[in-house]
Amino acid sequence: MTVHGPVLPIWSCGGCGLPWPCRTRKRELRAEYADAPVSLALYLGSYLVQATEDMPWTPAGVLHRRFLGWTRDADLPNPAVPQQCRSARAEP
C-alpha cells in the first residue's frame, strides 16, 4: 500500500503534498498497470470525474493532463505496443 494516495477534496498527495497523482504515484501506477494501460486509463478517469466535481474552478484541460495526459507519454515503454510499431507511428 502506498502513502502517496489522494487527499480529498483538494487532490494533494498524502505522502509528499504535491498535486495528486504525484511523480512517485505515477511511477507506482505505471508499474502496477504495466500490462493493462486501458485499465489504468479507466481507473484514472474515474478519479478525473471526482476531481472535476471537487474542483469545478480548475480548467478541464488542466485536470485531463494531470490525471490522464501522462499515461500516453510517447517516450515511455508500453508492453502492449511492440517496439517496431511505436517507431513506425512516430514517422510522418
Side-chain angles (χ1 to χ4, degrees):
M1 188 67 170
T2 184
V3 297
H4 291 272
V7 175
L8 306 178
I10 60 172
W11 290 91
S12 65
C13 176
C16 62
L18 294 172
W20 194 90
C22 66
R23 180 175 285 177
T24 299
R25 187 61 184 140
K26 288 176 184 177
R27 188 172 50 250
E28 292 171 349
L29 287 167
R30 279 189 187 112
E32 290 173 34
Y33 289 88
D35 296 325
V38 173
S39 296
L40 174 60
L42 291 170
Y43 172 72
L44 291 169
S46 68
Y47 277 142
L48 171 62
V49 170
Q50 286 181 267
T52 58
E53 293 172 1
D54 291 338
M55 300 183 295
W57 60 86
T58 307
V62 170
L63 290 176
H64 181 271
R65 280 188 301 278
R66 179 173 164 181
F67 285 87
L68 292 171
W70 61 271
T71 63
R72 293 185 50 105
D73 289 342
D75 58 336
L76 298 175
N78 184 347
V81 179
Q83 182 64 37
Q84 66 188 40
C85 292
R86 281 196 299 260
S87 62
R89 282 191 318 208
E91 296 175 8

